Amino acid sequence: MTLANPALQDIRGKIEKSAGIAGRKASDVALIAVSKTRSSDEILPLLNAGHRKFGENRVQEAMDKWPALKEQYPDVELHMIGQLQSNKAAEAVALFDYIHSVDRSSLIKALAREMDRQDHHIPCFLQVNIGEESQKGGCDIAAVGQMLAQATTAGLNIVGLMAVPPENTNAVPYFALLAKLARDHGLEGLSMGMSGDFEKAIKLGATHIRVGTALFGPRAQQAT
Ligand SMILES: *Cc1c(COP(=O)(O)O)cnc(C)c1O
């Protein structure tokens, strides 16, 4: 049985509408519910409403929450969206179904090695530092081609590009640039758009949107 969830229904409606305006199908946009900092009790209502795609930004936090939830809901799809240390590659490959934050050679090598070792090959996104901000994760825009070539050599399956545009600016030019980079490199996946701007991201081609506060309410602690 599925229980109605007003926030989820609201977002689904907005996805439908933005996709329609762009001449796209809502089913081509994956909604990732970003559950970082949320307890299992906060996550359960979404699971009970039938939602299955979730995003976390810390390996340890995800390992504390998701194995138990996955036992109850084995068809859950888990997305790693936060910065990843190479020494957490083994845990990440074991737990997650997608990794959105591949952004450097050492991580490409560590993930490829673990995926071979565990025989668990999961699709990845290359994260691009689209606003060229020194404190942000993501590879340089100029390095995208080189990173993709390294991933291919290592046997890592990169399905698209991911970015988090600078805060408090109009995200549209950044979304458009990420979409162009993906097109130029023949990649179909575009992981972009959060609570405040996912409708714009969908109009510019997002295939994966990452939505936290609009689904769960404001976060108590600010996770980065
Ligand atoms: C926290 C986070 C989100 C979700 O942000 P909201 O504004 O709460 O929707 C999306 N992507 C990344 C990488 C995040 O860390």
Side-chain angles (χ1 to χ4, degrees), residues 34 36 57 81 162 164 194-196 210-214 219 223-224:
V34 177
K36 65 188 185 194
N57 71 334
I81 62 168
M162 178 274 214
V164 182
M194 315 193 339
S195 290
R210 311 177 307 266
V211 177
T213 49
R219 275 183 296 276
T224 52

Side-chain angles (χ1 to χ4, degrees), residues 79-160:
H79 295 253
M80 174 59 187
I81 62 168
Q83 283 198 41
L84 185 55
Q85 307 293 317
S86 296
N87 63 11
K88 294 272 170 65
E91 283 104 329
V93 168
L95 182 63
F96 288 96
D97 301 291
Y98 281 82
I99 294 175
H100 291 239
S101 45
V102 176
D103 64 354
R104 58 193 189 277
S105 311
S106 55
L107 185 57
I108 287 172
K109 285 181 197 137
L111 286 171
R113 193 168 52 231
E114 272 309 319
M115 288 185 202
D116 284 342
R117 204 178 61 82
Q118 298 182 29
D119 196 18
H120 185 219
H121 292 87
I122 60 183
C124 297
F125 289 79
L126 180 69
Q127 183 175 353
V128 184
N129 188 353
I130 202 75
E132 305 187 301
E133 299 172 278
S134 58
Q135 79 284 10
K136 276 249 175 88
C139 71
D140 290 346
I141 293 170
V144 168
Q146 188 194 336
M147 288 292 137
L148 291 173
Q150 285 184 18
T152 303
T153 303
L156 204 64
N157 180 21
I158 303 280
V159 297

